[in-house]
């Protein structure tokens, strides 16, 4: 399949640089697949569409403020983006470094009175293993919580020191992100629109929420880089599905299984592909699944998602969900996106939402 099928023209002014003033004031484009029609609502109206018996699955991964700014011994600037721990003591991390050419193996960087860091290894992905020596914190994660800047996507423009930094720490995080799951390098952005009020309305109507954790990596922003979809090397991400969530996924009956975001879809579809039973405790695996048309879905009946970048694997997934098992979803998604652009919806991570029923 030609990857150019997933390209479209996204005007720069439609890329949201800040979230809506209130989370659930985001707009909501509702797609009714059977009737092939769309509606234009607000996210606060979500309970008009979901409720009795619906099982809502959400990714509770928390985003670490993972961008650390420091200095090299020469006085030059250094930037370290924390990706994931490299060992169990919390002091070694796989990172991305900038400027990479001036931070070769054996080099150091740090901030006086706070930490020193030593570049010890480079892997085939151009990631660097860095060992930290801390003076004021007991872990690199706690250092990042105090000093770090949110790892916003590259299409959101921020200065090195920006007056919106503190607001980003709150708004580039779901309200249900778990402190024990600070494992994401990017937010599961479909969940950013939820408020306690929206959750309460849904629960009052009989919906139930279930958590899982997918360790969202920077690969989520990697565009399609091959002429044929089938040749694209999809990124891999660890996920965890608790036993209670597994049971809800395998319950029979007429209730709908609603996914909040593509990360939840990715986890659930990979889970169903790998096991046909409930695993005691947590089911932990690495998602290497690439979802594109034509594909049927094993564990998802409805999807809440944001509007995604051109030439992205996320577009492949959403177009597949619009028309499971068929190819029609590709052109239909372009039509929906064209109307959203015309109606001035806000796109990408801080943008508006879409509900596909």
């Amino acid at each position: 399949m030609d990857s150019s099928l997933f390209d479209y023209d996204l005007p720069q002014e439609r890329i949201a640089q800040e979230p809506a003033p209130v989370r659930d004031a985001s707009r909501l484009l509702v797609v009714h697949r059977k009737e092939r029609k769309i509606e234009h609502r607000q996210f606060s109206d979500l309970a008009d569409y979901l409720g009795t018996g619906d099982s809502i699955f959400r990714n509770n991964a928390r985003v670490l403020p993972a961008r650390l700014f420091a200095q090299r011994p020469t006085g030059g600037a250094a930037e370290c983006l924390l990706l994931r721990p490299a060992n169990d003591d919390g002091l070694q991390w796989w990172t991305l470094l900038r400027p990479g050419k001036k931070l070769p193996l054996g080099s150091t960087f740090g901030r006086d009175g706070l930490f020193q860091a030593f570049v010890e290894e480079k892997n085939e992905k151009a990631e660097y293993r860095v060992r930290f020596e801390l003076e004021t914190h007991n872990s690199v994660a706690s250092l990042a919580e105090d000093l770090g800047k949110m790892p916003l996507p590259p299409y959101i423009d921020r200065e090195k020191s920006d007056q919106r930094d503190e607001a980003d720490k709150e708004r580039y995080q779901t309200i249900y992100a778990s402190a024990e799951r600070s494992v994401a390098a990017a937010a599961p952005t479909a969940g950013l629109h939820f408020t306690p009020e929206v959750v309460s309305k849904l629960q009052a109507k009989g919906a139930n929420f279930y958590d899982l954790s997918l360790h969202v990596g920077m690969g989520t922003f990697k565009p399609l880089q091959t002429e044929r979809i089938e040749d694209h090397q999809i990124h891999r991400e660890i996920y965890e599905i608790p036993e209670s969530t597994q049971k809800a996924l395998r319950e029979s009956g007429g209730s709908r299984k609603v996914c909040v975001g593509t990360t939840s879809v990715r986890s659930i579809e990979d889970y169903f592909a790998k096991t046909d039973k409930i695993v005691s405790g947590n089911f932990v695996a690495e998602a290497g699944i690439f979802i594109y048309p034509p594909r049927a879905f094993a564990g998802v009946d409805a999807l809440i998602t944001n509007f995604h970048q051109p030439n992205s694997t996320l577009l492949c997934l959403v177009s597949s969900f619009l028309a499971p098992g068929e190819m029609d979803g590709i052109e239909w998604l372009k039509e929906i996106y064209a109307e959203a652009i015309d109606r001035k919806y806000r796109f990408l991570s801080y943008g508006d939402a879409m509900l596909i029923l």
Side-chain angles (χ1 to χ4, degrees):
M1 190 193 318
D2 193 332
S3 61
S4 65
L5 290 171
F6 299 93
D7 193 14
Y8 72 95
D9 182 27
L10 176 59
Q12 188 68 27
E13 63 270 19
R14 297 271 54 83
I15 301 175
Q17 296 299 307
E18 297 175 1
V22 179
R23 288 178 186 266
D24 62 6
S26 298
R27 297 168 73 186
L28 180 68
L29 190 154
V30 183
V31 180
H32 299 269
R33 290 180 292 178
K34 288 183 180 178
E35 298 85 355
R36 203 176 174 90
K37 71 173 187 177
I38 62 176
E39 296 181 82
H40 303 283
R41 303 288 295 271
Q42 280 195 306
F43 199 84
S44 55
D45 300 327
L46 187 63
D48 290 348
Y49 299 94
L50 304 178
T52 305
D54 288 334
S55 297
I56 303 176
F57 299 91
R58 60 192 186 182
N59 183 4
N60 68 356
R62 186 174 182 279
V63 183
L64 189 69
R67 290 181 68 192
L68 295 173
F69 296 96
Q71 286 188 318
R72 306 193 306 275
T74 59
E79 180 180 342
C80 173
L81 176 62
L82 303 170
L83 297 177
R84 60 190 180 278
N87 67 352
D88 294 332
D89 67 8
L91 298 177
Q92 294 189 43
W93 282 70
W94 286 104
T95 71
L96 297 178
L97 297 179
R98 192 190 301 178
K101 290 184 179 179
K102 295 185 177 181
L103 289 166
L105 299 184
S107 61
T108 65
F109 59 92
R111 286 173 65 170
D112 289 344
L114 293 169
F115 73 90
Q116 287 295 310
F118 304 83
V119 182
E120 298 195 333
E121 184 182 349
K122 182 180 180 181
N123 66 19
E124 68 282 357
K125 299 178 184 177
E127 299 170 345
Y128 295 84
R129 182 172 58 82
V130 172
R131 176 174 57 85
F132 289 83
E133 291 185 358
L134 307 177
E135 298 184 37
T136 57
H137 295 77
N138 59 12
S139 71
V140 176
S142 63
L143 175 78
E145 292 289 353
D146 287 346
L147 303 178
K149 184 180 173 81
M150 274 301 204
L152 298 179
Y155 47 72
I156 296 179
D157 188 26
R158 291 289 188 272
E159 300 293 332
K160 179 178 177 181
S161 180
D162 196 290
Q163 62 182 4
R164 294 165 289 186
D165 284 350
E166 285 305 309
D168 287 330
K169 281 191 175 183
E170 177 195 357
R171 294 301 302 275
Y172 195 63
Q173 199 83 268
T174 65
I175 62 166
Y176 48 81
S178 170
E180 290 75 41
R181 290 289 180 270
S182 293
V183 294
T189 54
L192 297 181
H193 311 283
F194 280 86
T195 61
E197 292 76 18
V198 169
V199 172
S200 294
K201 283 182 183 179
L202 289 165
Q203 290 174 327
K205 285 192 66 177
N208 297 294
F209 286 86
Y210 298 94
D211 290 338
L212 54 83
S213 304
L214 181 127
H215 302 209
V216 189
M218 297 304 292
T220 192
F221 301 115
K222 184 180 178 181
L224 296 168
Q225 295 178 318
T226 58
E227 291 184 2
R228 295 175 68 251
I229 289 292
E230 295 84 352
D231 296 332
H232 178 76
Q233 188 67 44
I234 192 69
H235 56 287
R236 306 181 73 86
E237 295 164 317
I238 294 170
Y239 65 93
E240 308 166 56
I241 303 182
E243 189 172 342
S244 57
T245 301
Q246 295 178 59
K247 289 178 180 177
L249 283 169
R250 295 194 179 276
E251 282 180 354
S252 59
S255 65
R256 289 179 298 184
K257 295 177 175 60
V258 183
C259 273
V260 181
T262 57
T263 62
S264 298
V265 175
R266 186 164 153 81
S267 302
I268 288 169
E269 292 300 307
D270 194 81
Y271 164 74
F272 275 108
K274 286 178 175 168
T275 183
D276 59 0
K277 62 183 180 181
I278 295 170
V279 176
S280 179
N282 264 4
F283 180 86
V284 182
E286 187 176 56
I289 193 169
F290 185 11
I291 298 173
Y292 56 85
R295 182 187 174 91
F297 288 77
V300 188
D301 300 310
L303 170 63
I304 301 166
T305 188
N306 278 19
F307 294 90
H308 302 292
Q309 285 182 287
N311 296 308
S312 68
T313 59
L314 305 182
L315 273 187
C316 297
L317 186 154
V318 175
S319 63
S320 185
F321 191 74
L322 276 174
E326 302 176 5
M327 298 295 291
D328 297 352
I330 302 172
E331 286 305 314
W332 190 19
L333 184 64
K334 288 182 179 179
E335 293 172 13
I336 293 168
Y337 272 36
E339 180 162 345
I341 290 170
D342 186 58
R343 288 177 174 261
K344 295 182 167 49
Y345 275 73
R346 303 165 72 250
F347 275 58
L348 309 187
S349 293
Y350 268 159
D352 295 316
M354 181 162 65
L355 170 64
I356 304 175
L357 296 170

